[in-house]
Amino acid sequence: CSASTNKPVLTLFTKKLCPLCDEAKEVLEPYKRRFILQEVDITLPENSAWYDKYKYDIPVFHLNGKFLMKHRVDIPKFEDQLRKVELQS
């Protein structure tokens, strides 16, 4: 099925040993078939710009490259934005 290639990309800005990030991934578990999760480790040298931007805010989520939420998963907001992106594709 080609629909799988059109899944929205949810980017998680994270780092090693991030309990809030682990918690956020658990909260998102029921939705995981509806998006592709891309994790960005902000502590890697190539991600220093993200580190400067988000070092005090992780987890931070972007949906299809646009800022969505930070610190905790906002389920109503997430569902709303995910639905909008799905309708566009």
Side-chain angles (χ1 to χ4, degrees), residues 8-22:
V9 176
L10 185 69
T11 306
L12 165 60
F13 293 90
T14 184
K15 66 179 182 181
K16 285 176 182 60
L17 302 175
C18 172
L20 282 177
C21 302
D22 297 337

Side-chain angles (χ1 to χ4, degrees), residues 75-89:
I75 287 292
K77 182 177 189 176
F78 173 71
E79 285 181 344
D80 180 56
Q81 293 302 312
L82 186 60
R83 199 172 309 113
K84 283 180 182 162
V85 169
E86 287 170 338
L87 288 171
Q88 287 168 4
S89 61

Side-chain angles (χ1 to χ4, degrees), residues 7-87:
K7 280 186 191 172
V9 176
L10 185 69
T11 306
L12 165 60
F13 293 90
T14 184
K15 66 179 182 181
K16 285 176 182 60
L17 302 175
C18 172
L20 282 177
C21 302
D22 297 337
E23 190 181 302
K25 284 191 274 189
E26 277 178 38
V27 172
L28 292 168
E29 187 72 18
Y31 301 93
K32 70 177 186 190
R33 284 180 200 79
R34 292 173 59 192
F35 62 83
I36 295 161
L37 181 66
Q38 176 187 36
E39 293 189 42
V40 175
D41 184 337
I42 63 168
T43 63
L44 296 176
E46 64 268 28
N47 296 327
S48 61
W50 293 119
Y51 179 80
D52 293 342
K53 191 168 185 178
Y54 292 142
K55 61 186 164 205
Y56 302 118
D57 289 320
I58 61 167
V60 174
F61 292 93
H62 286 194
L63 186 60
N64 281 356
K66 289 193 192 120
F67 175 82
L68 181 62
M69 56 194 169
K70 65 183 180 182
H71 301 151
R72 297 200 177 278
V73 175
D74 179 339
I75 287 292
K77 182 177 189 176
F78 173 71
E79 285 181 344
D80 180 56
Q81 293 302 312
L82 186 60
R83 199 172 309 113
K84 283 180 182 162
V85 169
E86 287 170 338
L87 288 171

